[in-house]
C-alpha cells in the first residue's frame, strides 16, 4: 500500500513521456471555442485543406487546441492566438466573409508563401489583438485594408510580393510608434516599395 503512490507516479510519468505530439500542451487546456473552430474549418475548406502539406484532422472529435492542429496556437481558455501556416500549399480565393477578424485573441496570422488569391477579408480589421500579419508571396489583389493600420497592438505587416494595387493608407505609417510595414511587390511596377515606422 505504501508503494502505490510511487508506482502511480511512475506510471503517469511514463505515459506523459510516451504521449503523442498532438496532446494538449498543458493540463487543463480547454477545447477550442466552437465558433473559432468553425472559422478554422471554413479556412480549411476554402484554402484546399485536403492538399495542404500538413493537413488538419478535421474529424468530429478532433479539436484545434487539445489536439494541437498544425500551425494553431491557443491560450488556456480555448481561444486561438496564432494561425501560422506559411509554405503549407494553401490555395484558392479568400472569401470576403471569412471571419478572420472574429478570433477574439488572435495575435499573429502568417499565411505567407502560399497560393492564396483574392482580397484580404474586410473582417480582418476587427482583429483588435492582432500584432503580426504576414501574407507575403501570394497572389492577393485589390487595395490594402485601411482599418488594419489603426489596430492598437499592431507591430508588423508584410504584404510583399502580391498583386495589391492603389495607395498605401497613411494609417499604416502615421499611426505606428514602432513596428514595420513591408510592401515590396515583385509583380507590379510603380507600387510603393516600402513604408516603415520606427
Amino acid at each position: 500500500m505504501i508503494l502505490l503512490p510511487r508506482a502511480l507516479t511512475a506510471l503517469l510519468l511514463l505515459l506523459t513521456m510516451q504521449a503523442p505530439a498532438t496532446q494538449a500542451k498543458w493540463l487543463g487546456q480547454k477545447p477550442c471555442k466552437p465558433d473559432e473552430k468553425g472559422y478554422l474549418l471554413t479556412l480549411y475548406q476554402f484554402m484546399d485543406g485536403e492538399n495542404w502539406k500538413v493537413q488538419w484532422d478535421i474529424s468530429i472529435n478532433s479539436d484545434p487546441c487539445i489536439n494541437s492542429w498544425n500551425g494553431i496556437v491557443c491560450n488556456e481558455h480555448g481561444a486561438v492566438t496564432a494561425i501560422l501556416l506559411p509554405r503549407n500549399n494553401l490555395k484558392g480565393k479568400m472569401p470576403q466573409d471569412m471571419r478572420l477578424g472574429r478570433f477574439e485573441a488572435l495575435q499573429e496570422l502568417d499565411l505567407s508563401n502560399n497560393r492564396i488569391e483574392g482580397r484580404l477579408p474586410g473582417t480582418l480589421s476587427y482583429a483588435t489583438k492582432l500584432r503580426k500579419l504576414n501574407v507575403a508571396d501570394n497572389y492577393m489583389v485589390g487595395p490594402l485594408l485601411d482599418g488594419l493600420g489603426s489596430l492598437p497592438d499592431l507591430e508588423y505587416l508584410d504584404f510583399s510580393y502580391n498583386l495589391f494595387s492603389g495607395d498605401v493608407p497613411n494609417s499604416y505609417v502615421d499611426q505606428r510608434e514602432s513596428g514595420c510595414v513591408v510592401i515590396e511587390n515583385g509583380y507590379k511596377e510603380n507600387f510603393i516599395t516600402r513604408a516603415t515606422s520606427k
Side-chain angles (χ1 to χ4, degrees):
M1 299 296 288
I2 297 174
L3 295 177
L4 182 59
R6 289 184 181 173
L8 186 57
T9 301
L11 178 61
L12 288 173
L13 181 60
L14 180 63
L15 289 173
T16 302
M17 291 172 60
Q18 294 181 347
T22 56
Q23 189 177 26
K25 294 179 180 64
W26 56 81
L27 295 176
Q29 170 67 57
K30 291 187 178 178
C32 187
K33 294 179 178 293
D35 54 344
E36 296 194 358
K37 180 179 180 180
Y39 304 152
L40 291 173
L41 290 173
T42 300
L43 179 70
Y44 190 82
Q45 175 188 0
F46 279 96
M47 297 290 101
D48 196 26
E50 292 183 357
N51 291 305
W52 289 4
K53 289 182 180 177
V54 182
Q55 299 175 12
W56 292 339
D57 174 10
I58 60 171
S59 60
I60 189 94
N61 293 322
S62 180
D63 183 85
C65 299
I66 292 176
N67 300 111
S68 300
W69 286 7
N70 175 59
I72 302 302
V73 181
C74 303
N75 63 22
E76 66 272 21
H77 305 294
V80 174
T81 60
I83 302 172
L84 309 172
L85 298 169
R87 296 180 179 84
N88 201 38
N89 200 37
L90 279 69
K91 60 183 178 181
K93 192 170 184 179
M94 185 82 72
Q96 283 301 293
D97 60 350
M98 187 171 285
R99 301 186 179 272
L100 290 175
R102 300 300 185 192
F103 291 92
E104 63 182 46
L106 186 65
Q107 298 178 23
E108 188 169 357
L109 177 62
D110 187 347
L111 303 177
S112 62
N113 294 278
N114 285 294
R115 297 162 62 190
I116 301 172
E117 303 172 11
R119 298 170 180 250
L120 282 171
T123 58
L124 199 51
S125 296
Y126 299 115
T128 57
K129 302 287 179 61
L130 193 65
R131 294 188 300 108
K132 296 180 180 180
L133 171 64
N134 188 350
V135 293
D137 287 295
N138 281 290
Y139 300 94
M140 305 197 78
V141 299
L144 300 176
L145 296 175
D146 189 27
L148 280 177
S150 301
L151 293 176
D153 297 327
L154 198 61
E155 298 172 357
Y156 182 81
L157 292 169
D158 192 344
F159 298 111
S160 58
Y161 299 98
N162 277 284
L163 301 169
F164 291 116
S165 59
D167 296 327
V168 176
N170 290 332
S171 60
Y172 283 33
V173 178
D174 295 343
Q175 298 183 21
R176 297 274 72 78
E177 293 181 4
S178 62
C180 184
V181 179
V182 181
I183 315 174
E184 297 174 346
N185 199 318
Y187 308 121
K188 194 173 185 66
E189 295 181 1
N190 302 320
F191 195 84
I192 294 179
T193 58
R194 188 172 177 86
T196 59
S197 58
K198 283 195 172 183

